[in-house]
């Protein structure tokens, strides 16, 4: 139904959903690029529906970014690893 002022509007346009991994909100064409909220081509009546979409997609994207960051921090470069340890931050590999 219409609001108190008998007016409604929707937002439209944005990144097409076919190009987005919807579980991670990540671009299929550009890995590491994430989308949320009104950047996506999702039409919804304002007044709660668009906010819920923004919160849900933002949560999914944020979790995916956190997972990606954690996996990059935990990766060990085999060339610089000696007996399972990393060089100290001030040392260069091979010193």
């Amino acid at each position: 139904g219409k609001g108190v002022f008998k007016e409604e509007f929707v937002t439209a346009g944005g990144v097409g959903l076919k190009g987005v991994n919807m579980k991670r909100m990540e671009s299929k064409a550009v890995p590491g690029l994430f989308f949320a909220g009104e950047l996506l081509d999702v039409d919804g009546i304002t007044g709660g529906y668009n906010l819920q979409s923004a919160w849900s997609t933002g949560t999914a994207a944020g979790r995916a970014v956190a997972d990606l960051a954690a996996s990059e921090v935990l990766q060990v470069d085999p060339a610089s690893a000696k007996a399972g340890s990393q060089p100290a931050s001030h040392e260069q590999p091979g010193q």
Side-chain angles (χ1 to χ4, degrees):
K2 296 193 182 259
V4 176
F5 300 108
K6 307 294 183 218
E7 296 176 7
E8 291 186 359
F9 55 96
V10 298
T11 56
V15 176
L17 300 182
K18 288 183 180 181
V20 178
N21 173 331
M22 296 302 290
K23 184 173 183 174
R24 298 176 46 84
M25 304 313 300
E26 184 174 17
S27 170
K28 291 179 180 177
V30 183
L33 179 62
F34 297 84
F35 305 104
E38 292 187 355
L39 291 173
L40 298 163
D41 187 15
V42 177
D43 295 345
I45 299 170
T46 58
Y49 299 104
N50 61 333
L51 293 174
Q52 182 60 54
S53 174
W55 294 325
S56 297
T57 58
T59 297
R63 287 181 176 162
V65 169
D67 289 345
L68 178 63
S71 70
E72 289 180 359
V73 167
L74 296 176
Q75 288 181 352
V76 175
D77 180 8
S80 67
K82 293 182 181 179
S85 64
Q86 293 265 333
S89 60
H90 65 277
E91 294 178 350
Q92 295 295 321
Q95 287 185 339

